[in-house]
Amino acid sequence: MAGETSVSDLPPQARKRLAAALLPEVGEEDHQAAAQEQALLDAAAAPPSFDWRSHGGNFVTPARDQGSCGSCWAFAVTAALESQALLANNTADVDLDLSEQVLVSCSNAGSCGGGRVNTASDYIRELGLPLEACFPYTAGDYSCGGACPDWEDTSYHVTGWHWVATTSPTVKGLKKALCLYGPLLTLMKVYTDFYSYQSGVYSRVAGTFVGWHAVLLVGYDDAGQYFVAKNSWGTRWGEEGFFRIDYSQVKNGVFFGDYTIAYEGSGPPGPQAKAFSISPAAKSFKAAGGSGAVKVSAQSGCAWTAASNADWIALTGPDSGTGSGMVSLTVAANPETSRRSGTLTIAGQTFKVKQSGAKKPAP
């Protein structure tokens, strides 16, 4: 059913900010890994219906409201982390409310102008998120200094994440992944008719493309031929902030399920198990090469080392240290036309390096 909703009458620019996810920068290796994952999932059986809101309890927190900020990416990532924490601790029916504002203000994954879910996922793996009360949501680009002191010591985090699908999801693969891993972070294209969704099973029937949107996939039903997802436009939109979407919308221009991420467990709140963290966790270079730096965060007195697994990635800064520091690197020019990738191992953490191939010579 379509009609007037809490967002349908907003000015066009305000509505556009509601769907401001930036497409992830995904390398060929990630596409291949996701394709292999989909093939394995397609070959496995899944039950005819499933919903994490009623699977031995409710492991999905209520829909939140991103307001006038283009932070759907932060809300979807936070929602996925909340569900993983509930599953890991077997605490169904608890409204665990974590801070989206930390992602907006502190992660460098994006802002109120949009953001990338993969970069934000790296952040919650390394540092996590504290409770909402530590840095209440402001729907604005505020300084990270507004967070409570030492918030990392009380944060929830995921132990890992991987791509379930990049650009070629399947209905069968999404269903099986949902059953295996828990609620899934995913993207979709939003058209103007989606703003007027009130209830029922959504299929795009009209409207112009607005932008990519990040949501949380929580369930499905074969009899009704639909997925169930959690949105971030408040509880006065859709079915108390959730929506059902037809299986056909995995294709059909909406591309529901593109760039789907599964989280791999959650650590308990409190001081992180890892004594070290690095930032950023990855960097891409052009074929000509270049230089970069990685920040190492560690407690005073904790020793670490750094090493490269590829001869074209050279360490130009210290290859060891104690406490927090900075590692510098250079990437040589790539003479080949194919992309290449390598890693640095820094303080036990993996820093991914990706490089474009050289342009093919003119015939």
Side-chain angles (χ1 to χ4, degrees):
M1 178 184 295
E4 184 177 340
T5 69
S6 58
V7 302
S8 59
D9 291 333
L10 292 174
Q13 281 303 109
R15 291 195 306 182
K16 186 174 179 63
R17 284 194 293 271
L18 295 176
L22 303 178
L23 288 182
E25 296 174 344
V26 179
E28 186 59 32
E29 288 184 355
D30 292 321
H31 284 301
Q32 292 176 359
Q36 292 172 355
E37 171 89 350
Q38 282 289 291
L40 292 172
L41 293 169
D42 282 345
S49 64
F50 196 94
D51 195 320
W52 280 109
R53 297 173 299 175
S54 56
H55 186 67
N58 181 9
F59 294 94
V60 181
T61 55
R64 318 292 187 195
D65 192 346
Q66 69 186 81
S68 58
C69 172
S71 55
C72 63
W73 58 275
F75 276 77
V77 168
T78 303
L81 173 55
E82 290 170 347
S83 286
Q84 280 296 318
L86 295 182
L87 286 167
N89 296 311
N90 195 27
T91 50
D93 306 309
V94 172
D95 183 6
L96 176 63
D97 192 1
L98 302 181
S99 174
E100 294 87 2
Q101 193 64 46
V102 165
L103 280 178
V104 175
S105 297
C106 307
S107 71
N108 293 319
S111 65
C112 280
R116 289 185 169 85
V117 293
N118 55 324
T119 308
S121 296
D122 284 339
Y123 188 82
I124 65 167
R125 179 189 62 205
E126 301 300 331
L127 294 177
L129 295 178
L131 294 174
E132 173 73 8
C134 177
F135 198 172
Y137 185 64
T138 62
D141 292 320
Y142 289 86
S143 167
C144 186
C148 59
D150 302 322
W151 62 264
E152 298 97 330
D153 292 339
T154 58
S155 67
Y156 293 75
H157 62 285
V158 293
T159 55
W161 67 269
H162 69 274
W163 293 110
V164 167
T166 51
T167 56
S168 300
T170 65
V171 171
K172 287 182 65 178
L174 292 173
K175 287 164 48 182
K176 187 60 181 179
L178 183 70
C179 297
L180 282 176
Y181 302 121
L184 302 172
L185 169 63
T186 195
L187 299 190
M188 62 180 286
K189 281 187 171 183
V190 163
Y191 294 83
T192 48
D193 64 346
F194 191 61
Y195 294 120
S196 300
Y197 172 85
Q198 291 182 329
S199 63
V201 180
Y202 171 78
S203 290
R204 180 200 169 202
V205 295
T208 56
F209 172 65
V210 180
W212 284 91
H213 188 44
V215 297
L216 186 70
L217 175 57
V218 304
Y220 65 84
D221 183 77
D222 286 346
Q225 292 286 289
Y226 60 78
F227 289 110
V228 183
K230 173 182 168 181
N231 203 358
S232 54
W233 295 351
T235 56
R236 294 191 299 114
W237 177 91
E239 298 175 336
E240 296 186 349
F242 291 76
F243 65 98
R244 289 175 283 165
I245 184 167
D246 196 272
Y247 285 165
S248 65
Q249 304 304 288
V250 170
K251 306 294 184 184
N252 203 30
V254 173
F255 300 116
F256 180 87
D258 271 18
Y259 300 102
T260 296
I261 288 175
Y263 288 160
E264 301 159 2
S266 174
Q272 300 299 307
K274 288 180 284 190
F276 305 96
S277 66
I278 60 173
S279 179
K283 185 174 176 62
S284 296
F285 291 85
K286 295 181 178 179
S291 60
V294 185
K295 181 181 178 182
V296 182
S297 297
Q299 294 180 353
S300 176
C302 291
W304 52 267
T305 60
S308 170
N309 79 336
D311 57 8
W312 51 273
I313 309 172
L315 291 170
T316 56
D319 60 4
S320 63
T322 301
S324 297
M326 191 74 71
V327 174
S328 300
L329 67 140
T330 58
V331 171
N334 186 359
E336 305 297 331
T337 57
S338 58
R339 292 174 58 91
R340 62 183 180 180
S341 62
T343 61
L344 296 180
T345 302
I346 305 172
Q349 314 300 303
T350 300
F351 176 79
K352 297 180 180 179
V353 178
K354 298 180 181 180
Q355 187 178 29
S356 300
K359 291 184 177 179
K360 295 182 179 179

